[in-house]
Amino acid sequence: MWIQQSYRKETETGVLYLVPTPIGNLEDMTFRAVKQLQEADLIAAEDTRMTKKLCSHFEIHTPLVSYHEHNKLQSGVQLIKELSAGKTVALVSDAGMPAISDPGQELVQACLDENIFVVPLPGANAALPALVASGFDTRQFYFHGFPPRTKKDKTALFNRLKTIQATLLFYESPHRLKDTVAAMKEPFGGRRICIGREMTKTFEEWIRGSMDEVAAWLEGRTVKGEICIVVEGGGEIEEEDKRWWTDLAVEEHVRHYVEIRGLSKKEAIKKTARERGVPKRDVYNAVHAGK
């Protein structure tokens, strides 16, 4: 157990600050974010070219280092060394909150493994503005990030997620948007969908409607920009959907409840056994035989 008191005592190591940057409109940069980037010893950036433009606009002269998906192992080791030596590092992504759908999460974990303070700043993010603008239920939501690229994997994912009653949030690239919405149609049936495009930018656009309406609207259109998809949460599972797990192996059935529904493995095994009408011991053995 380790308790981090971010502002109540000195630390012998440096501090990793997670600094959100605007997702389009530079006026969304906070005073605190600018100050933190100015005062840091280093800025670790997903794309140093993008971050240089931001730093130039706000007159930030802090040295930049590259930290992204393809150099995260080597760069991460070096950043941990700098932090362990007492340096302050500000982590930024191309846009929005770092460590969401980018390798920053791994740097955060590496810092925590070394008892290095990690301090998040609030700020710009794409998923939450899309959620609140969708008009769907905000009391519970499930954020997945980017769906898989292949049709088979998309379909498998959406079939698992259709049992979740919370509002669903996804990021997607514009050239895969049409195929992704098409893959959602059958699993999510008549649910409503909201697509947020180019949020905070000049060409911000919201496409709202039923799954069929939005899929038809996308046909023959070229969509550009950053995309966030919000899918209305499901109601009670219909009778014909209660055996949604039929095509899953036992261990996949259990994994769904652990990874997607957040149950403990013990609870997942118990629920899987009840749904399949088999003894818990049989499910337990199947799960552990697959290791």
Side-chain angles (χ1 to χ4, degrees), residues 153-165:
D153 290 340
K154 286 182 201 288
T155 301
L157 171 68
F158 299 149
N159 275 322
R160 292 198 303 271
L161 297 184
K162 74 178 182 180
T163 63
I164 296 179
Q165 295 181 32

Side-chain angles (χ1 to χ4, degrees), residues 28-275:
D28 291 333
M29 189 73 167
T30 67
F31 291 116
R32 185 183 174 199
V34 172
K35 184 173 184 286
Q36 193 59 67
L37 293 181
Q38 289 172 335
E39 294 180 351
D41 295 304
L42 293 170
I43 298 174
E46 185 178 8
D47 186 336
T48 54
R49 295 167 300 178
M50 295 280 291
T51 306
K52 278 180 182 177
K53 295 177 183 177
L54 181 76
C55 289
S56 176
H57 182 84
F58 290 105
E59 299 183 354
I60 298 167
H61 305 294
T62 306
L64 294 172
V65 295
S66 176
Y67 179 83
H68 52 71
E69 182 64 33
H70 304 294
N71 75 349
K72 62 186 179 184
L73 295 180
Q74 180 181 356
S75 182
V77 169
Q78 185 58 41
L79 288 170
I80 292 295
K81 288 181 179 178
E82 300 283 4
L83 287 157
S84 298
K87 296 287 183 68
T88 296
V89 176
L91 177 67
V92 300
S93 62
D94 284 352
M97 179 68 74
I100 294 181
S101 290
D102 77 18
Q105 185 273 329
E106 294 167 81
L107 180 59
V108 169
Q109 187 58 60
C111 286
L112 299 182
D113 289 343
E114 300 295 329
N115 283 8
I116 294 170
F117 280 22
V118 176
V119 178
L121 275 62
N125 166 266
L128 290 181
L131 171 65
V132 297
S134 70
F136 303 151
D137 192 346
T138 60
R139 292 171 297 177
Q140 297 183 69
F141 58 91
Y142 175 93
F143 173 75
H144 182 82
F146 287 91
R149 298 191 176 200
T150 69
K151 180 179 180 180
K152 178 181 177 181
D153 290 340
K154 286 182 201 288
T155 301
L157 171 68
F158 299 149
N159 275 322
R160 292 198 303 271
L161 297 184
K162 74 178 182 180
T163 63
I164 296 179
Q165 295 181 32
T167 302
L168 306 176
L169 296 167
F170 304 90
Y171 289 155
E172 188 53 289
S173 61
H175 63 277
R176 289 197 290 269
L177 177 62
K178 182 170 69 174
D179 291 340
T180 295
V181 173
M184 288 178 169
K185 285 175 60 178
E186 183 176 343
F188 297 138
R191 298 193 203 180
R192 293 175 295 163
I193 184 174
C194 173
I195 296 173
R197 187 182 76 83
E198 292 289 83
M199 285 182 284
T200 80
K201 302 177 186 177
T202 303
F203 297 103
E204 177 176 299
E205 184 175 45
W206 298 94
I207 300 98
R208 301 180 177 96
S210 69
M211 199 71 67
D212 285 339
E213 288 172 337
V214 173
W217 183 87
L218 286 170
E219 285 297 330
R221 279 186 168 83
T222 300
V223 178
K224 297 181 180 180
E226 302 296 324
I227 303 291
C228 191
I229 304 172
V230 189
V231 178
E232 183 178 31
E236 292 296 326
I237 301 174
E238 298 295 334
E239 188 63 36
E240 61 268 23
D241 291 333
K242 288 185 177 179
R243 293 179 63 85
W244 57 270
W245 43 264
T246 302
D247 294 332
L248 298 182
V250 173
E251 58 270 26
E252 292 174 326
H253 193 162
V254 172
R255 193 182 310 126
H256 166 85
Y257 283 120
V258 173
E259 297 179 358
I260 303 299
R261 302 295 290 274
L263 299 185
S264 68
K265 183 174 285 188
K266 181 179 179 180
E267 292 171 328
I269 289 173
K270 183 178 179 180
K271 190 172 180 64
T272 298
R274 185 167 63 248
E275 290 183 344

